[in-house]
Amino acid sequence: MVFYFTSNVVDPPVTLFMGRDKYENEDLIKWGWPEDVWFHVDKLSSAHVYLRLTEGQTIDTVPKVVIEEAAQLVKANSIEGCKLNDVDVVYTLWENLHKTESMEVGQIGFHKQK
């Protein structure tokens, strides 16, 4: 079961979705929307967190406090990352995620690297 949260760090609140294991992450990969922003701890296993953008919002206009909250969620839900002081978190639009049949469950790549 995929989790979802209503974050009140901004007004109006935003919705965040999270998969806690590779199977839930796979569901999120499969059923994401073009207006979703995907977050993940870089180079470590972690939850996938998706932020659903509101109408007219772009990835560049997401408030920093919302990005920080999503980053904290993926860090806290990373077996290795939660034990480290600092981790890098990557985020991109869902439509930039690239999944092939040869990839393992929950594994993802990118169409374009930044």
Side-chain angles (χ1 to χ4, degrees):
M1 176 172 77
V2 171
F3 291 89
Y4 72 93
F5 306 89
T6 300
S7 171
N8 295 311
V9 297
V10 291
D11 187 29
V14 296
T15 302
L16 298 167
F17 299 88
M18 183 177 79
R20 294 203 51 179
D21 62 28
K22 63 184 180 180
Y23 301 102
E24 291 178 3
N25 290 344
E26 191 72 22
D27 287 341
L28 286 169
I29 293 165
K30 182 178 179 182
W31 298 107
W33 292 8
E35 60 269 22
D36 288 343
V37 180
W38 171 86
F39 292 82
H40 194 273
V41 173
D42 196 23
K43 299 182 175 100
L44 296 174
S45 175
S46 80
H48 291 202
V49 169
Y50 287 68
L51 164 67
R52 178 121 329 134
L53 298 178
T54 58
E55 188 174 334
Q57 190 176 28
T58 68
I59 195 170
D60 297 322
T61 63
V62 175
K64 184 178 178 185
V65 67
V66 173
I67 293 172
E68 289 170 353
E69 183 163 56
Q72 287 296 330
L73 273 172
V74 294
K75 182 183 185 301
N77 289 280
S78 170
I79 293 169
E80 296 173 60
C82 71
K83 298 172 188 164
L84 302 173
N85 288 331
D86 296 309
V87 296
D88 291 325
V89 173
V90 293
Y91 62 99
T92 189
L93 288 171
W94 172 84
E95 60 193 8
N96 189 41
L97 299 179
H98 179 67
K99 178 77 177 179
T100 64
E101 288 186 23
S102 64
M103 291 178 170
E104 292 190 30
V105 172
Q107 187 179 12
I108 200 73
F110 304 106
H111 289 290
K112 296 180 184 176
Q113 299 282 339
K114 281 192 172 181

